Amino acid sequence: MNKSMLSVLEIIKKTTDFFASKGVESPRLNAELVIGHALGLKRMQLYLQFERLLAEAELEKIRPLVRRRALREPLQYILGETEWYGLKLKTDKRALIPRPETELLMEFAVKAAKDAGAAGTPVTRILDLGTGTGAIALALAKEFPEAKVFAVDASEEALALATENAMALGLTERVTFLKSDWFSAVPEPKDVTERFGLIVSNPPYLTEAEVAEAEPEVRAFEPVSALIAADAGAADLRRIIAGAPRFMAEGGVLALETGIAQHAELVAACGAAGFARSESKQDLTGRDRFVMAWR
């Protein structure tokens, strides 16, 4: 058999071995997803065609994608999309890939906002700081159809990607995107109706040393500006905590994703900023990962 007449299964096995040799996590799954994407097939369709022989033209589609993944480019950038909190989002190098753990931030934020509504102060305005792909803002727009959602980012490239995702999800009328370095370009509230009942952020919170130790997918491909913050990773979190109260409604909630070693400092910062109360929330591994604060 010549090299142009390998079967689908043979190519999957060869790619799996190649990925494993390059340190790619879950090499078989990655091989199936990359090959399926190149051939325009879902995984189940791929399984039904294991014995099919591949033409050279099909192998030519597969090879460049396999090379990219072997260089440890994130799978989500190669596939061009990811599933997150029930949304299909376009992903590329313009913004950080939405993480599964950030879905837990969403759950905490949604519950806090719904609790506020049940207590008589419905959340009608929401702010997502550092929106990236738009994941949090768009998911919140889906969760709270009566609310106005504002999403800011300092990166014009990220905002362009977020806008593309809003268009794909039919949410451009619901979400306003704004170029802003945190609160710098967010309009000052003129009255209580312009205050936010919920402010959510997954800002940069890693140190340069932490990123240097991260997997190549993170340190070599994702935007560094979305990962690293000064002052042991806490600089942006502190700016958000200090700036948030003047934009928030009475009883409003601030929900943040953070580094695991920053919580004593951040909870103290919430007190200094005038929040009525704040608390740490744990991730699925039991580590302090989120800070919630109420005005």
Side-chain angles (χ1 to χ4, degrees), residues 159-274:
L159 287 171
L161 176 59
T163 302
E164 289 164 27
N165 278 321
M167 290 174 67
L169 293 165
L171 291 169
T172 50
E173 299 297 312
R174 298 281 326 287
V175 182
T176 299
F177 294 103
L178 180 67
K179 187 174 189 296
S180 180
D181 181 14
W182 306 125
F183 295 103
S184 64
V186 178
E188 291 280 347
K190 297 190 201 65
D191 55 46
V192 292
T193 66
E194 293 187 355
R195 292 182 172 274
F196 296 103
L198 174 63
I199 298 179
V200 186
S201 185
N202 176 20
Y205 56 74
L206 299 176
T207 64
E208 288 188 15
E210 285 171 324
V211 171
E213 292 173 2
E215 293 293 324
E217 286 87 346
V218 175
R219 69 172 187 264
F221 291 95
E222 293 196 271
V224 170
S225 62
L227 294 165
I228 294 173
D231 297 336
D236 290 318
L237 285 158
R238 285 210 303 264
R239 279 185 65 189
I240 291 166
I241 290 167
R246 78 175 192 271
F247 293 90
M248 292 177 73
E250 273 309 314
V253 64
L254 173 66
L256 301 170
E257 184 170 325
T258 75
I260 58 174
Q262 299 163 334
H263 278 236
E265 174 188 358
L266 296 178
V267 168
C270 289

Side-chain angles (χ1 to χ4, degrees), residues 10-165:
E10 286 170 321
I11 287 296
I12 288 172
K13 287 179 175 176
K14 284 178 178 291
T15 303
T16 299
D17 291 343
F18 183 49
F19 283 169
S21 75
K22 298 296 183 180
V24 173
E25 191 176 343
S26 305
R28 173 70 182 233
L29 174 62
N30 274 256
E32 290 175 357
L33 291 172
V34 167
I35 291 164
H37 180 69
L39 298 176
L41 300 172
K42 291 183 166 45
R43 284 176 75 202
M44 186 52 68
Q45 294 173 308
L46 209 58
Y47 296 158
L48 297 174
Q49 299 185 31
F50 272 171
E51 303 308 315
R52 180 167 73 82
L53 299 179
L54 290 168
E56 181 60 26
E58 291 175 306
L59 294 174
E60 284 300 319
K61 291 179 181 176
I62 293 169
R63 287 187 189 114
L65 302 188
V66 168
R67 280 195 292 271
R68 287 170 63 187
R69 189 67 187 105
L71 290 169
R72 305 294 292 274
E73 183 176 345
L75 179 67
Q76 296 92 331
Y77 287 171
I78 295 168
L79 302 183
E81 64 183 30
T82 194
E83 292 275 346
W84 189 85
Y85 206 79
L87 304 178
K88 183 172 282 189
L89 297 166
K90 182 177 181 179
T91 49
D92 59 39
K93 64 183 181 181
R94 289 177 288 177
L96 202 67
I97 298 160
R99 304 299 205 259
E101 57 264 30
T102 307
E103 293 184 339
L104 199 51
L105 174 68
M106 270 292 301
E107 290 176 19
F108 289 133
V110 167
K111 182 182 185 306
K114 289 185 174 176
D115 287 349
T121 52
V123 170
T124 57
R125 288 167 69 87
I126 296 170
L127 177 62
D128 173 27
L129 294 166
T131 197
T133 60
I136 290 173
L138 297 169
L140 288 169
K142 285 266 194 184
E143 284 280 354
F144 298 97
E146 303 304 313
K148 290 183 177 179
V149 181
F150 296 80
V152 309
D153 206 291
S155 164
E156 288 185 5
E157 288 191 331
L159 287 171
L161 176 59
T163 302
E164 289 164 27
N165 278 321

